[in-house]
Amino acid sequence: MRRQRRTGRAGTGLLELLYPHVCPLCGRVTGEKVCRACGERLEYIEEPRCMRCGKPIRRKAREYCCDCEKNSHEYERGYALWVHKDSVQQAIYQFKYHNRRIYSQFFAGELLARYGQAVRRWDIAVIIPIPLSRKRKRKRGFNQAELLAKELGRGLGIPVDGKNLVRVRDTNPQKQMDARGRRVNLRNAFAWKGKDRARGNILLIDDIYTTGNTIDAAARVLKSNGAGKIYFLTISIGQGY
């Protein structure tokens, strides 16, 4: 038994030597979940924030951001951890396009710490990640939203369904599109393939929220197939000034 413990510790030490933990925000080796420098600069979204999408807003007297004042949404409410800029933007890029799957543990842990109680108040029946097309998932090797959803599901004790909501159209990247272009791009992009209808309140998970068109398109399909209220969590979000 002692020999097994010594062997186990030695193996763990070797792995840590070969693959040391790095700060997900800057890539520096660190013994903490984020390095001290990034931890000091990291700004979580606080109040005042939009009562619908959670984007930061400047004036407490306002209830909604500019986007949500102009547009209605299919979902009830959602939150993100940070504004999509600087080190957060780079971390998500590394997570998605450089196979940093381990970052999902950090991002999900932060979401649980900040919004776990809110999710419990929402009475969520199932967590669903925003799906990728088969082509994009095959090229990337994984769906970053699904990794986050699984980590959150374990932490919250809520089932995760990564199969029944599917992306049936390989949509174009939305980065350079205006609001109308995004809506058109996502038209009929999702479908419900479940044998049974969706039930209860659903929590959608994605990495980035910009205008909400992706969440809305998925929520529309879910609600038309029997779901109750739709909520969302993302790692980052655009600014709502």
Side-chain angles (χ1 to χ4, degrees):
M1 181 64 73
R2 290 181 179 176
R3 179 180 293 178
Q4 288 178 342
R5 287 176 181 172
R6 285 197 297 269
T7 303
R9 285 195 294 269
T12 300
L14 180 60
L15 286 173
E16 290 174 350
L17 182 63
L18 293 173
Y19 305 102
H21 175 73
V22 299
C23 173
L25 298 168
C26 69
R28 297 189 186 98
V29 174
T30 178
E32 307 296 329
K33 63 180 181 179
V34 296
C35 72
R36 181 175 298 179
C38 287
E40 291 174 351
R41 291 194 300 266
L42 198 57
E43 296 181 5
Y44 292 87
I45 296 174
E46 304 285 358
E47 301 294 344
R49 68 174 109 197
C50 177
M51 293 178 63
R52 181 57 58 87
C53 74
K55 287 180 180 177
I57 51 181
R58 288 196 177 99
R59 298 193 304 273
K60 292 182 179 180
R62 289 180 60 185
E63 294 185 340
Y64 301 102
C65 69
C66 294
D67 288 335
C68 291
E69 282 180 346
K70 294 183 293 186
N71 304 299
S72 60
H73 291 291
E74 297 289 338
Y75 63 82
E76 292 294 314
R77 192 165 191 176
Y79 293 116
L81 290 166
W82 307 291
V83 171
H84 190 68
K85 62 179 184 178
D86 302 333
S87 60
V88 170
Q89 183 176 0
Q90 290 301 313
I92 294 175
Y93 183 85
Q94 294 293 322
F95 176 38
K96 292 170 66 172
Y97 301 114
H98 286 263
N99 204 26
R100 297 292 195 270
R101 304 186 197 197
I102 196 169
Y103 287 6
S104 64
Q105 297 174 14
F106 167 67
F107 293 136
E110 295 300 292
L111 287 166
L112 283 169
R114 303 288 292 187
Y115 304 123
Q117 291 185 358
V119 173
R120 291 184 175 91
R121 289 196 300 270
W122 293 340
D123 190 27
I124 299 299
V126 64
I127 299 172
I128 296 181
I130 293 294
L132 292 177
S133 68
R134 289 184 179 179
K135 177 182 177 181
R136 194 164 298 176
K137 186 174 182 180
R138 186 166 56 249
K139 181 179 180 180
R140 192 173 300 169
F142 64 98
N143 176 3
Q144 71 280 355
E146 188 171 7
L147 295 182
L148 288 171
K150 288 179 177 178
E151 293 288 344
L152 289 167
R154 278 192 286 269
L156 292 163
I158 298 174
V160 175
D161 178 0
K163 295 181 179 180
N164 289 322
L165 180 68
V166 298
R167 191 181 291 249
V168 292
R169 234 171 18 89
D170 188 17
T171 53
N172 295 318
Q174 306 223 120
K175 297 177 184 178
Q176 307 302 323
M177 296 182 184
D178 60 16
R180 183 179 180 278
R182 289 169 184 262
R183 287 194 295 271
V184 172
N185 188 43
L186 287 162
R187 191 173 294 160
N188 301 317
F190 301 109
W192 180 255
K193 296 297 185 181
K195 293 181 180 178
D196 299 321
R197 287 171 63 79
R199 294 179 182 177
N201 298 341
I202 291 174
L203 176 64
L204 287 172
I205 303 297
D206 206 359
D207 55 339
I208 307 166
Y209 178 110
T210 306
T211 60
N213 287 298
T214 301
I215 299 292
D216 280 330
R220 192 175 297 114
V221 169
L222 292 170
K223 290 169 76 173
S224 68
N225 283 277
K229 295 178 179 179
I230 309 297
Y231 299 87
F232 78 84
L233 290 180
T234 63
I235 301 167
S236 69
I237 197 165
Q239 298 190 48
Y241 302 143

